[in-house]
Amino acid sequence: MNTDSKKLTEPAIDRENNEFSLSDLFGALMRGWKTILLFALLGLVLAILYNRYVNPTYQSDALIQINESSQSVSGLGNDISNLVGPGANNSLAETQLIKSRMVLEPVVDLLHLQTRLGNPEVTAIDRIANDRVNTPVHAPTGVSLDTDNGQAQIGQFNVAPDYLDETFTLVRSDNGFTLSNALEEFKGQFNQSQEFKGAKGPIQITVEDLPASGHPINITKQSLQITTNAINSKLEVIETENSSGIIQLSYTGPNQQQTTLILNEIVLSYVGQNESRGAEETTKTIEFMETQIPRLKQQLDDSEAAFNDFRERYGTIDVAQEAELLIAENSRIDGQISDLKLQQAELSTYYTDEHPLVIQINDQLRVLNNRKQEISNTIERLPDIQREFLQLSEDVGINRDLYLTMLNNYEQLKIVEAGQIGYARVVDLPVSTYEPIAPMKGLIMLLATAIGALLGAAVVLIRSSFKDVVKDPEDLESKIGVPVIATVPRSKSVQRLGKNNRAGNRLLSYADHDSVSYEAIKSLRTYLMFGMPVQGKNDQRSRVIVVSGESPGVGKSFIVANLAEVFSQLDKRVLVIDADMRLGSLHNTFNIDQESENGLADYFATDDSTAVRITYPTSIDNLDIIPRGNQPRNPSSLLASDRFSGLMSELADHYDYIIIDSPPVLAATDAVILSKFADKVLMVTRHNDSSEGQLAYAIKQMSRSNVEVDGIVINDIKQGMMTKNTYHFTYAYSSNNSK
C-alpha cells in the first residue's frame, strides 16, 4: 500500500531458531536433481573412459606345500636324521623367502625383466580409442614389443650402473639402428652383439628387429631393486590357512601368457633354491666325512701295527688266557711235586739216596721246581704287560669303531644325497585362464555413477546452504516481515508455450485454465479485492495496484497479465500499464505491435499526446493496455513528472482497476515513484531462484522511501513432494477432476 499504510506483520521468528529439517534436505536434493544427474552422468562417462584406458589385468595362481621334515632322511633312521637336522620349517618365513631377491633375481635374469620397452607414440587418446595397448613380452630369448608399425625385438641389453633407470631411444636406420639418449648417440647393426663406450660406462645391446624407420622405441635398463619391487607389487604370497603348510602364490599382469610364465619361473626358482638348501647340510656333512675317513683309517692302521708289534715281542696272543694257563700248569706241577715227594718218602724208607729210583725222583722234582720258578717269574711280570696290552687293544678297538661308524654314515649320506628332494612340493603350477580379473567394468561404472551422484548431491547441498534462495513462505515471512499473500505454482503448459516464440496467447485462461496456477491467481485477486479500500487515494474511483520485483526475471509481467485477466472477469474495466519503459514485454502477451503503435514512452514525446492515443483494447472483454512504447532516455524522470500524474488522474475516471507493471526495484527507482499512486504494492519473487537477501534489500529500499510493500507473491513454485508441506497452495477444482 502507499506511505500511509500500516505494517501488517513483523518478524516473529529469529533466523537462528530455524532448523534444517529432513524435508528441507530432501527438497533441496529434489530441486537440484539436474545437477545430481549431471554429476552422475559425468561419473559414468569417466568410468567408461577409465575402463577403456586401462589394460585388462589377468591373474595366475600356484600352490606350494611346505613339509615339516625331509622324508628321505628320516626314512634312513634316527641316527642319520640327527646328523642332518630335523628339517622343521616356518611357512611364514617361506612366504618372505619367495619374495626375496634370492628367489626373484634368477627369474629377472632369465626373462630379462630389467629391460623395459615402451612405445612413445601411444597417447592417452589412443589407449581409449583402442581399448587396450600392447605390452612388452619377456622370454628367455629376449624382450619384444608389438606396435602398429612393426615389432621391436631386443636380445640383450646391459649398461653400466650409472645408466640404470635412464631411458634410451631406439630407431631403425638405413644401415641398422641408432641408440641415443639426451646427450649421446650410438649406431649399430642388427643381430649382432654391439658394445658401445658411453660417457658413463659400457653399453652392450643386441637388437634383432625394430619398427619401421621414423617410429622410435623407448628402452630402459631398470635397477634390480626397482624390478624386484615391481614384481613384488604384483605378487601375493599367503598361507591358505593357519599352520596348513599350503602357500598360495598369485601374480597379476596385463598379459595372461606373460603372467603365467613369470609366476611359473618364480615357483621353479623357489623350489630349486629350496632343494639346494635342503641338500646343503647333507653335502657339507659328506664333505666333512670325506676329510675324516682317511685320517681315521690311518689311526686304525697305526694302532693295529703297534699292537701286532707288541704281540710279536712278547710272543703272546692273549695275556689273560696265558695267565690262566700258567696258573693251571703251576697247579698241576704242585700236584706232581706232592706225588713225587710221597714216592720219595716211601723209597727213602727202603733205599738210600744213591738208589736209581730215588735219583730219578729227585731229578723229576728238580725239573718241576725249575718250571714252577719260571711260572712264578712269568706271573710276576704279567701286570705291566697286561696294562700295555689292554691300552693297545683298546686303541685298536676305538679306532676301528670310529672308522667303521664314519664309513657306515658316509655310505648312508651318499644314498640320502642321491634322493634328496627338499621340503617344498609343487602342488599346482600356474595355468592361463585368459579371463581378466580387472577392471570390473560393471562395478566401476556403478560406483563411479554413485560417487558422481553423491558429489552432485554435495554440490547441491553446499550451494543450497550458501545460496539463500526463496523457498518456504513461512520462513520468508518471518525473516522479512512482509506477508506472502500468494504462491503461484509453475504452469507446464505456459512453460512449453514460452519456449515457442510463435506460440499464441500465453495467458493461463487460454493455456491452462484448469490448473492450480490459475486458481492461485484468482486467490490473489480475492485477497486484493477485500484488502483494498472502497475508494482509492484522493477519492479516485479506480484502485491502483503496482507490481514489481527485486530483480529481472522473477515473472512480474506474468503475474500482472493474468491478474488483470481475472479482474476483468468481474465485469470491471481493467487497465494494464506497462511502466517498464526499458524492457517491458506486456505488448507481446496481448499481441500488440510495439513498432507500429504508440505507448507510454510516446505519451511524453509530444505535448498533444492523450491517454486515448496510447490505450489499446485487448481480445479480452473489459481489459485495455498501455504498452511501454519506444524506449526513452530518462524513464524515471518521466514517471516523476506532473504529466504522468495528470495521465493517472485522467485514467482513474475511466477504469475500476489499474494494474501497473513496474521495473525491478534494485534495477531502477521507478517502482518507488509509481508506488505513490498505488493502493497496493506487491513484490513478486521467483521460488528457488530469487535471493532472500536481495528481496529483503529491495523491500528495505522501498521502506527507506516511505513505501510499504503490502505483500509478496512467490512465483513459479515447482509442484512436487518437497512442496506439498506448504499451506500456501490452492487446488484446482474443475470438471476435469474425477476424484
Side-chain angles (χ1 to χ4, degrees), residues 651-670:
L651 294 173
D653 296 333
H654 297 86
Y655 294 97
D656 298 303
Y657 293 97
I658 299 177
I659 303 176
I660 302 176
D661 185 0
S662 169
V665 175
L666 299 181
T669 60
D670 298 14

Side-chain angles (χ1 to χ4, degrees), residues 376-387:
S376 297
N377 294 334
T378 301
I379 291 175
E380 289 178 358
R381 296 196 310 268
L382 280 179
D384 294 335
I385 297 174
Q386 186 176 21
R387 283 194 299 271

Side-chain angles (χ1 to χ4, degrees), residues 87-233:
N89 178 63
N90 188 341
S91 297
L92 180 60
E94 295 302 311
T95 60
Q96 300 301 317
L97 287 175
I98 293 174
K99 305 184 75 171
S100 66
R101 285 195 298 272
M102 178 185 70
V103 173
L104 297 182
E105 186 173 359
V107 180
V108 170
D109 294 338
L110 175 66
L111 300 180
H112 307 278
L113 296 179
Q114 287 181 264
T115 302
R116 310 302 300 176
L117 299 181
N119 186 359
E121 295 182 339
V122 176
T123 64
I125 297 177
D126 294 330
R127 299 186 63 165
I128 294 174
N130 297 328
D131 197 17
R132 68 179 64 189
V133 296
N134 295 323
T135 56
V137 177
H138 298 262
T141 56
V143 186
S144 62
L145 175 64
D146 290 329
T147 70
D148 294 337
N149 302 290
Q151 185 185 65
Q153 181 71 41
I154 309 300
Q156 64 170 343
F157 182 52
N158 299 314
V159 299
D162 291 339
Y163 282 121
L164 290 175
D165 302 317
E166 182 175 339
T167 301
F168 290 82
T169 301
L170 278 171
V171 181
R172 177 186 286 271
S173 63
D174 295 336
N175 300 322
F177 67 89
T178 301
L179 176 69
S180 62
N181 58 13
L183 302 175
E184 301 171 284
E185 183 175 291
F186 311 97
K187 296 183 180 297
Q189 300 296 321
F190 287 111
N191 299 313
Q192 296 181 15
S193 179
Q194 304 287 325
E195 186 169 349
F196 308 114
K197 293 183 179 180
K200 300 179 182 179
I203 302 173
Q204 187 178 14
I205 187 171
T206 301
V207 180
E208 299 175 3
D209 197 7
L210 284 175
S213 179
H215 299 281
I217 291 294
N218 290 339
I219 183 170
T220 305
K221 183 73 172 184
Q222 285 186 339
S223 63
L224 179 62
Q225 184 66 45
I226 292 179
T227 305
T228 54
N229 289 343
I231 293 175
N232 282 326
S233 66

